Structure formats: structure tokens, C-alpha cells
Amino acid sequence: DVLRRPWLEQLERHTNDVGVFRRKFLRLRIEEVFTSPQCPAGDLFVFLTVTPHPLFERQGPDLMLDVPLSVFDALLGTELDIPTLDGQTTKVKVPENTSPDTLLRLRGKGMSHLNNPRHHGDLLLNINVVMPEKLTKTDKETLSKLRDETPESAQTKAFRKKLAAHS
């Protein structure tokens, strides 16, 4: 057996660290593992690559999750069951009038910090407001009526004022 047990244990301990980042180099001291002159004792440098998760994107100790949300749920608010890295789910209340690209933060639901496994990053939910793919004639009439009855926002008024001053 070319590889001795202490070397394997050292490698396993480092590769199972919960806070390992992509492209991390590990330097493992190998002393008297190889006895032949062609393979002298020394250091082994290991280059780690972390496989991307199918749901979460890693940003340091934080995790990002893109959450598609219908325009109606964004306007009225909703409650979502959001998966976490540990395989559980957590309930998240999305407030009414949530704008596109809003970030909701779930503190402590991200990755463990490499040097301090007790501290975790956050899980950031990027809210992507999704428009309906098709509207019926009745849908269009209802939305048109709603648009006419809804007061214009302060942002829209200010923008129209800037446009008028510019022309």
C-alpha cells in the first residue's frame, strides 16, 4: 500500500471542511509516505474544485437563490417554503408590493465559515418577478380598469415631471 492511513485522514479532513471555497489549494505534509528514491517524502499540493449546487450559487459564505414570483404574489404578498442547504425548508414571508430584484436575507442559513464553523453566512433570496405568459381579453380589461383606478406612484409622478421639464 503506497499511501498510509495518516495521509488519507489528513486529506479527508481538509476536503470535508464545510467552508472550503472553489479553487482552494491544500498543502499536505507527506513524510516518509513514499519509500522509493523516485518518490521522496515532501509536500503534496491538492487543488480543490467545489461542484456547483443545482439550486444555490455560492458567494463566499453566503448562498444566493433565484426565486421566481408571479406579479400577483409580488403585489399581494405571499408565503413561500424555501429549501435550505441542510435539506430542510423554512417559511419566508414575501411582503406585499415586492419589487423585482429585491433581496430577502435569511441570516445564518448560508455556508459555514472556513475558520469558524459555528458562524454561517446568509441565504439571499433574489426575487424575480415573472409576468404572465398570456392574458385573456377579460384579464386585459380587468388590468386596464385597475390601472385607471390606481393612483400614480410618487416615483412615476417625479419621472413624468422630469420628462416634461426636459422637453
Side-chain angles (χ1 to χ4, degrees):
D1 190 14
V2 176
L3 300 176
R4 293 193 182 149
R5 190 89 180 131
W7 182 84
L8 283 174
E9 289 172 359
Q10 187 180 5
L11 181 60
E12 286 174 356
R13 186 175 63 246
H14 284 291
T15 56
N16 289 327
D17 282 347
V18 290
V20 171
F21 290 93
R22 270 189 295 227
R23 298 186 174 152
K24 178 180 175 160
F25 283 97
L26 294 179
R27 178 181 173 188
L28 302 175
R29 290 213 174 269
I30 310 298
E31 295 178 15
E32 300 176 9
V33 171
F34 303 107
T35 55
S36 74
Q38 294 89 359
C39 299
D43 293 341
L44 173 67
F45 291 89
V46 179
F47 179 75
L48 296 178
T49 301
V50 178
T51 305
H53 193 277
L55 286 178
F56 305 108
E57 180 183 322
R58 188 164 181 181
Q59 296 180 348
D62 295 331
L63 296 174
M64 177 75 76
L65 177 63
D66 287 325
V67 180
L69 194 66
S70 78
V71 67
F72 307 109
D73 285 337
L75 287 169
L76 300 172
T78 190
E79 193 171 276
L80 302 172
D81 287 323
I82 298 295
T84 56
L85 195 59
D86 61 5
Q88 303 295 317
T89 60
T90 187
K91 292 228 183 268
V92 175
K93 185 176 180 184
V94 178
E96 59 184 52
N97 294 323
T98 296
S99 299
D101 296 324
T102 295
L103 282 179
L104 300 177
R105 181 179 303 269
L106 302 178
R107 296 209 183 275
K109 297 290 185 181
M111 294 295 297
S112 295
H113 289 267
L114 180 60
N115 297 325
N116 192 348
R118 290 184 182 175
H119 289 97
H120 290 75
D122 299 333
L123 175 56
L124 304 170
L125 308 178
N126 183 30
I127 303 297
N128 296 320
V129 178
V130 180
M131 297 294 141
E133 291 182 18
K134 222 173 194 183
L135 294 174
T136 65
K137 185 178 178 181
T138 306
D139 293 338
K140 290 178 185 179
E141 290 170 357
T142 303
L143 288 170
S144 181
K145 183 178 178 189
L146 183 63
R147 177 185 58 198
D148 295 341
E149 294 175 359
T150 303
E152 197 171 43
S153 72
Q155 286 176 311
T156 306
K157 285 180 186 177
F159 180 70
R160 289 188 193 278
K161 204 178 220 183
K162 285 181 185 178
L163 286 178
H166 183 68
S167 42

